[in-house]
Amino acid sequence: MALSEFELIRRFFTYPAPGAVLGAGDDAAIVRARRGRELLITADMLVAGRHFFRDADPQRLGHKALAVNLSDIAAMGATPRWATLSIALPSADARWLAAFARGFMRLARRYRVDLVGGDTTRGPLNISVQVIGEVPVGRALRRDGARAGDDVWVSGTVGDAALALAARARRVILARGERAGLERKLHAPAPRIALGERLRGIARSAIDVSDGLVADLGHICERSKVAAEVDFSMIPASATMKRHLERAPARAALLAGGDDYELVFTAPAAKRPAIAALSRRLGLKLTRIGRIVPRARRARMVTVRGADGRPLPLARGGYEHF
Ligand code: ADP
Ligand code: MG
């Protein structure tokens, strides 16, 4: 590398870590959980050519590498505190590194997450981030807490990131001006940290939508040993999505598109007023899309019903074949 490894780490990956006992620079970082909290640990790897395009904008990549991890912490109802960044780089391109670090650190500072260490090596571009979060003991929102009778909710709108990808592949043709908004959802997802934290004591289970609405709700059902019924017409769609819903690739994006990083959660019907109040307080749309039901033997875990009340034909993962 033109820059030495040591110089590169110092210039691009060393920042104050006010929330840690000891940040980057030693053999290991030292952190301390607050009283009465437990720690949550999550990791996500982004591989060039698989999770992002090789020529992806480095600032957006820095943002996204951290955002996907923050989303996992949000889905647990926890507060992110510390991150590590392990990165393999084909070359030490100072401009690329500066943009990547900017994207990563802007998001880190917004949520007061300290970058406390990592590893840097030469190799095919690969970005591995780990985030450690905190939650009051026993209060995390898990996938296994859903019960029959719960409402199923989702934040924001879903499928926009996947619709942007479908447009890139020319499976849907977007009008001028429709693309930018969708691309923002694809490249700069906003982790729902504030929502996750405030859902403690309201929601019984939660997950972030990374694989697609139907698949991720299916993960809740599997862990909770229940099933879910969703009304297709209640699924929150953006204005752009609504304009294209006649097309199968758009419907597939709505049901099975990943990468939105919205939260899906379940809560007892008695919590509807609290959820409506939370939605107003956060200025974030929270939509009731269905309910949790007992799991009948061999029945599918997630059923999506169309306007006529009949189940839509869904393949595994929620892809539609009609
Ligand atoms: P070691 O040889 O002990 O693994 P390194 O030379 O790999 O140490 O790293 C030196 C210090 O820099 C460590 O504290 C490590 O956590 C930190 N570090 C290395 N790479 C990164 C990175 N990409 N982001 C943040 N901190 C890093
Ligand atoms: Mg090392």
Side-chain angles (χ1 to χ4, degrees):
M1 296 191 183
L3 280 161
S4 75
E5 181 189 320
F6 174 80
E7 177 65 10
L8 188 160
I9 295 169
R10 193 189 61 75
R11 261 181 72 183
F12 299 108
F13 297 129
T14 305
Y15 302 89
V21 179
L22 182 65
D26 210 312
D27 295 314
I30 307 174
V31 301
R32 187 184 295 146
R34 282 178 282 210
R35 242 184 129 82
R37 316 269 160 143
E38 45 200 17
L39 298 179
L40 298 91
I41 304 171
T42 187
D44 255 306
M45 192 188 294
L46 296 184
V47 178
R50 181 162 185 87
H51 301 100
F52 59 89
F53 300 105
R54 256 162 238 284
D55 60 352
D57 176 74
Q59 185 169 334
R60 285 172 159 179
L61 204 52
H63 173 101
K64 186 153 183 177
L66 181 59
V68 298
N69 282 276
L70 296 183
S71 178
D72 283 322
I73 295 291
M76 300 296 292
T79 306
R81 298 283 317 273
W82 308 282
T84 65
L85 166 64
S86 297
I87 186 165
L89 297 161
S91 64
D93 175 342
R95 221 201 263 157
W96 192 96
L97 280 160
F100 178 87
R102 198 181 314 125
F104 189 100
M105 290 308 299
R106 270 197 190 155
L107 187 61
R109 289 196 188 99
R110 191 184 315 158
Y111 292 104
R112 287 198 240 137
V113 171
D114 292 330
L115 178 62
V116 295
D119 200 22
T120 305
T121 176
R122 188 196 282 267
L125 184 57
N126 186 314
I127 303 155
S128 188
V129 174
Q130 181 182 44
V131 170
I132 300 166
E134 270 185 349
V135 73
V137 172
R139 305 277 312 280
L141 300 176
R142 301 159 44 142
R143 295 181 183 185
D144 60 7
R147 292 204 218 138
D150 280 3
D151 294 323
V152 176
W153 296 81
V154 66
S155 63
T157 60
V158 289
D160 295 326
L163 191 58
L165 282 177
R168 271 186 188 229
R170 305 202 169 279
R171 281 182 282 119
V172 282
I173 307 300
L174 299 181
R176 286 179 105 217
E178 287 185 326
R179 187 121 167 206
L182 296 187
E183 294 258 332
R184 209 171 314 118
K185 291 278 292 219
L186 178 64
H187 295 296
R192 298 300 188 195
I193 303 286
L195 174 61
E197 290 174 334
R198 287 177 173 80
L199 282 175
R200 293 200 304 261
I202 294 177
R204 280 202 177 120
S205 68
I207 190 168
D208 63 324
V209 181
S210 57
D211 292 340
L213 178 64
V214 170
D216 288 314
L217 179 55
H219 295 319
I220 285 185
C221 292
E222 192 180 339
R223 297 298 297 267
S224 299
K225 301 188 169 63
V226 293
E229 301 254 349
V230 170
D231 296 320
F232 182 83
S233 64
M234 286 163 78
I235 301 173
S238 65
T240 302
M241 175 67 84
K242 279 184 189 147
R243 280 195 293 274
H244 294 273
L245 263 187
E246 289 302 310
R247 309 250 313 116
R251 288 197 299 276
L254 188 73
L255 293 172
D259 267 1
D260 282 308
Y261 303 100
E262 295 296 346
L263 298 188
V264 171
F265 56 96
T266 78
K271 298 293 186 188
R272 286 178 193 177
I275 292 167
L278 181 55
S279 170
R280 283 193 299 275
R281 183 151 159 219
L282 295 175
L284 174 63
K285 186 152 74 167
L286 300 176
T287 308
R288 186 159 51 85
I289 59 169
R291 58 225 144 268
I292 297 293
V293 297
R295 168 113 54 95
R297 203 194 273 226
R298 283 201 300 183
R300 61 167 68 243
M301 269 182 298
V302 178
T303 303
V304 181
R305 293 187 191 280
D308 58 4
R310 297 240 298 273
L312 301 184
L314 301 178
R316 265 176 80 89
Y319 283 101
E320 288 183 282
H321 292 273
F322 58 83

